[in-house]
């Protein structure tokens, strides 16, 4: 070994994760998904794990255990995942083209632009602005003029057949 005493990080198994019985974990998982995803509470900047626990008549340790075991992340990462997914849709949607990054980050539930950029980069490996530019460049450019359908003048509607 060299100058530094470096040891491998050992996986710790948090004791509270095993305290939640599987049946309760299934129920809490369903309820957490319902509140965060279906009711779109991820958009609420102030909706914390504590508030979620109160809404579900449980405690934050149980919320944390379920999110860790079932979703393999912490509460903040879980919520930010849905915020980023919605932001990604908004960034390429023409209806939101006039909004700046701060407005989009606010609409999806981030309290500031910096946390939005950090979360976006952590999940996608690029900034929101880069994502928007890449997606817009990847989309086929369309003319606003409708194309006429039908046959061209002088063409015949014959089906070519192979000659033997």
């Amino acid at each position: 070994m060299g100058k530094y005493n470096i040891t491998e990080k050992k996986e710790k198994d948090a004791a509270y994760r095993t305290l939640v019985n599987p049946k309760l974990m299934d129920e809490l998982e369903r309820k957490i998904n319902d509140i965060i995803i279906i009711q779109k509470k991820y958009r609420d900047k102030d909706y914390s794990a504590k508030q979620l626990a109160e809404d579900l008549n449980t405690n934050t340790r149980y919320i944390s255990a379920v999110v860790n075991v079932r979703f393999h992340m912490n509460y903040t990462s879980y919520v930010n995942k849905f915020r980023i997914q919605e932001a990604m849709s908004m960034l390429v949607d023409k209806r939101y083209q006039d909004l700046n990054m701060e407005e989009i980050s606010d609409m999806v539930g981030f309290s500031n632009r910096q946390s939005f950029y950090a979360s976006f980069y952590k999940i996608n490996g690029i900034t929101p602005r880069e994502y928007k530019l890449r997606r817009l460049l990847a989309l086929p450019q369309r003319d606003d003029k409708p194309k006429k359908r039908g046959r061209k003048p002088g063409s015949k509607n014959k089906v070519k057949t192979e000659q033997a």
Side-chain angles (χ1 to χ4, degrees), residues 25-53:
M25 196 168 278
D26 289 343
E27 184 183 339
L28 286 174
E29 177 185 7
R30 186 182 51 73
K31 289 179 176 180
I32 290 168
N33 279 331
D34 178 62
I35 290 173
I36 300 298
I37 303 167
I38 307 300
Q39 296 178 31
K40 299 189 182 220
K41 286 290 189 177
Y42 63 85
R43 288 181 178 169
D44 183 350
K45 299 171 189 38
D46 302 317
Y47 197 74
S48 64
K50 184 178 180 182
Q51 182 62 52
L52 177 61

Side-chain angles (χ1 to χ4, degrees), residues 119-131:
S119 293
F120 196 99
Y121 192 85
K122 182 179 178 183
I123 290 172
N124 295 303
I126 56 175
T127 66
R129 202 167 302 289
E130 286 176 282
Y131 175 82

Side-chain angles (χ1 to χ4, degrees), residues 40-122:
K40 299 189 182 220
K41 286 290 189 177
Y42 63 85
R43 288 181 178 169
D44 183 350
K45 299 171 189 38
D46 302 317
Y47 197 74
S48 64
K50 184 178 180 182
Q51 182 62 52
L52 177 61
E54 287 173 15
D55 290 350
L56 296 177
N57 296 316
T58 189
N59 61 54
T60 55
R61 283 185 171 242
Y62 277 31
I63 298 296
S64 180
V66 172
V67 172
N68 274 271
V69 171
R70 296 296 170 96
F71 309 121
H72 309 290
M73 60 185 81
N74 64 30
Y75 175 79
T76 303
S77 296
Y78 172 73
V79 171
N80 285 346
K81 180 177 91 167
F82 300 107
R83 291 173 174 167
I84 296 301
Q85 285 175 355
E86 185 168 354
M88 288 168 67
S89 296
M90 292 173 74
L91 287 168
V92 294
D93 190 323
K94 287 182 180 179
R95 294 175 292 180
Y96 304 105
Q97 217 165 17
D98 294 334
L99 298 180
N100 64 36
M101 292 299 163
E102 206 153 334
E103 291 167 322
I104 289 175
S105 78
D106 186 60
M107 287 175 73
V108 298
F110 284 97
S111 52
N112 61 58
R113 193 174 64 88
Q114 289 77 17
S115 59
F116 171 57
Y117 265 73
S119 293
F120 196 99
Y121 192 85
K122 182 179 178 183

